[in-house]
Amino acid sequence: MLLMIGFVVVLACVFGSFVASGGMIGPLLMSMPFELLTILGAAIGTFLMANSVAEVKHLPSALKAAAKGPRFARQDYIDLLGLLFQIVRLAHSKGVMALENHIEEPATSSIFGTFPKIRDDAQTCSFICDYMRLVSMNADDPFQLDEVMSRELKKNLQEEMHLPHALQTLSDALPALGIVAAVLGVIKTMASISKPPIVLGEMIAGALVGTFLGVLLAYGIVAPLAARLSSVIGQDAAYHNLIRSIVVAHLQGNAPQISVEIGRKEIPTAFMPSFQEVETALSKTALG
């Protein structure tokens, strides 16, 4: 929502102030379609050259994520804490082998069944099961597992951050593409140098629209979009990092409640539930 509000505010203030100060919107609108065709066409072409097919296909979903905001809300973190509490409590009381049926068949697991949203999230479910499976295979050195999990999370984050970086690169290129459009307009104007000054003035104004649009698109739209997407990806990455924190804390010999509390402290402040909220949720989980 804020993304769309910001977009409207940018356009309203830029074009509104231009009209309010006495600017003629007619020549601007007349030249804009051709300048946009040059700038956006070149921008799309450079974006396609710089990125793979998979990354280009991922762009619509990434833009949707930037518009919607973080994928995981406060309740999602509480649910994840509850699921991980059940897992580490079972491993703590009956041994890690008691988890075998749950991590091998999460679709039929009573633990995962309590949290269907997590069970149906393939990436999250797979991440939990893969590392608990490693623990069951005696890969129970907390420092080694912490390093392995951190490397995978870092790899995943780098892959997810490719599109924000690509959009930022595109933003850096847009002012130059605007100059390209403006130069083409100047060439067109110089080819008509014999025409009356009033005609040349309109042609020069049209050429300058290219520079204007290039800068506006770069710093008023694409750069903020890249920053927003980067922020959303970073916040969502904390969700899977919570799994690492609790699994490692469990392997370090902490009680299930302590492991969960250690994980809770790593949740982003905007989504972090209070100690009492988590205690209430865990109590309901224990009763269930």
Side-chain angles (χ1 to χ4, degrees), residues 211-232:
T211 303
F212 159 71
L213 289 176
V215 175
L216 176 63
L217 289 171
Y219 302 115
I221 298 177
V222 179
L225 181 61
R228 170 64 173 169
L229 182 57
S230 177
S231 174
V232 168

Side-chain angles (χ1 to χ4, degrees), residues 2-268:
L2 285 178
L3 186 69
M4 297 306 299
I5 292 174
F7 177 74
V8 172
V9 168
V10 167
L11 296 184
C13 290
V14 170
F15 290 99
S17 63
F18 176 73
V19 173
S21 63
M24 301 296 292
I25 197 70
L28 190 63
L29 294 177
M30 188 180 300
S31 302
M32 196 176 295
F34 304 102
E35 302 296 327
L36 281 175
L37 178 62
T38 301
I39 297 169
L40 293 181
I44 292 171
T46 57
F47 188 83
L48 292 176
M49 286 190 289
N51 297 279
S52 68
V53 174
E55 289 156 354
V56 172
K57 288 182 178 179
H58 185 57
L59 181 60
S61 61
L63 296 179
K64 183 179 178 181
K68 291 180 64 176
R71 177 184 169 195
F72 303 107
R74 187 188 191 90
Q75 186 58 47
D76 294 313
Y77 284 95
I78 294 176
D79 290 345
L80 184 59
L81 289 173
L83 181 141
L84 292 172
F85 172 73
Q86 288 198 32
I87 288 176
V88 298
R89 183 182 62 172
L90 183 59
H92 186 80
S93 61
K94 297 185 179 180
V96 71
M97 295 308 297
L99 294 172
E100 184 176 0
N101 291 334
H102 298 286
I103 60 179
E104 295 299 336
E105 296 291 340
T108 59
S109 164
S110 58
I111 294 179
F112 283 93
T114 308
F115 306 94
K117 187 174 181 180
I118 300 175
R119 179 197 61 199
D120 297 337
D121 183 342
Q123 184 181 13
T124 302
C125 186
S126 176
F127 189 74
I128 295 171
C129 293
D130 285 350
Y131 283 101
M132 293 311 299
R133 189 178 297 111
L134 280 178
V135 173
S136 70
M137 296 166 63
N138 295 324
D140 55 0
D141 183 335
F143 299 104
Q144 183 183 42
L145 200 66
D146 187 17
E147 182 181 356
V148 173
M149 296 180 81
S150 296
R151 284 205 302 265
E152 180 174 353
L153 291 171
K154 183 179 180 181
K155 179 203 71 174
N156 292 342
L157 181 59
Q158 287 177 336
E159 292 174 353
E160 290 289 329
M161 290 295 289
H162 180 82
L163 270 179
H165 293 157
L167 288 174
Q168 184 58 54
T169 301
L170 181 62
S171 172
D172 295 337
L174 277 169
L177 295 177
I179 293 174
V180 170
V183 169
L184 290 175
V186 171
I187 293 173
K188 179 182 175 182
T189 302
M190 295 307 293
S192 306
I193 196 67
S194 60
K195 292 187 178 181
I198 189 171
V199 176
L200 292 177
E202 290 181 356
M203 296 178 71
I204 292 173
L208 292 176
V209 170
T211 303
F212 159 71
L213 289 176
V215 175
L216 176 63
L217 289 171
Y219 302 115
I221 298 177
V222 179
L225 181 61
R228 170 64 173 169
L229 182 57
S230 177
S231 174
V232 168
I233 291 173
Q235 288 179 321
D236 284 345
Y239 185 77
H240 293 126
N241 189 58
L242 174 60
I243 300 170
R244 178 197 62 80
S245 300
I246 293 179
V247 171
V248 170
H250 165 68
L251 292 178
Q252 289 173 336
N254 293 290
Q257 291 87 346
I258 300 299
S259 298
V260 168
E261 177 61 16
I262 290 172
R264 184 184 74 87
K265 292 294 186 180
E266 292 204 26
I267 298 174

